[in-house]
Amino acid sequence: MEFILQMQAKSEARMAKVDERMAKADERMEKADKRMDKFDKRLEATLKLVQTGMKMLVKIDQKLLALTDAQRKTDRKFDRLIDSWTKRRTNGHQPKN
């Protein structure tokens, strides 16, 4: 009978250690889950920043193209103005040499 009680006591001691180890493993899992959640939030925030940055780049590119087109038109008009100033105007009369 005493042997059975001793074995039961050892078994209960082992079970207590197993329960303790399981509790520690559960704590580690909770900490790991919290770290993963935090990492996921950071990753999502980074993704949003990159997407917003890309949208901004597209808008800037479109504005730059519009500005380039406007500059070309301005350059053409300016060239025509300079050409008109450099040509001799005779006002319908024969040019004098």
Side-chain angles (χ1 to χ4, degrees):
M1 180 77 169
E2 192 175 316
F3 174 74
I4 294 173
L5 291 175
Q6 285 177 354
M7 291 304 286
Q8 187 176 359
K10 287 182 182 180
S11 177
E12 286 180 15
R14 276 185 261 149
M15 286 302 290
K17 285 182 182 179
V18 168
D19 288 342
E20 191 177 311
R21 288 180 187 145
M22 288 298 291
K24 287 181 182 178
D26 287 342
E27 286 178 26
R28 286 193 301 268
M29 283 298 292
E30 286 178 25
K31 287 180 182 179
D33 286 343
K34 287 179 183 177
R35 282 193 304 267
M36 284 190 295
D37 289 342
K38 192 174 182 180
F39 178 78
D40 287 345
K41 287 179 183 178
R42 287 181 179 172
L43 190 60
E44 288 174 18
T46 303
L47 176 65
K48 287 180 183 178
L49 280 172
V50 169
Q51 288 174 338
T52 302
M54 292 303 291
K55 287 178 185 176
M56 289 173 65
L57 284 175
V58 167
K59 287 179 183 178
I60 289 172
D61 190 45
Q62 291 171 346
K63 289 179 181 181
L64 186 61
L65 288 174
L67 182 62
T68 303
D69 188 47
Q71 183 65 43
R72 282 190 196 116
K73 289 178 184 176
T74 302
D75 286 346
R76 278 187 248 126
K77 288 179 182 180
F78 183 71
D79 288 342
R80 286 193 300 255
L81 177 65
I82 295 299
D83 286 345
S84 71
W85 283 351
T86 58
K87 291 182 182 174
R88 292 186 76 179
R89 302 217 178 235
T90 60
N91 200 19
H93 300 284
Q94 292 290 330
K96 296 179 184 178
N97 288 4

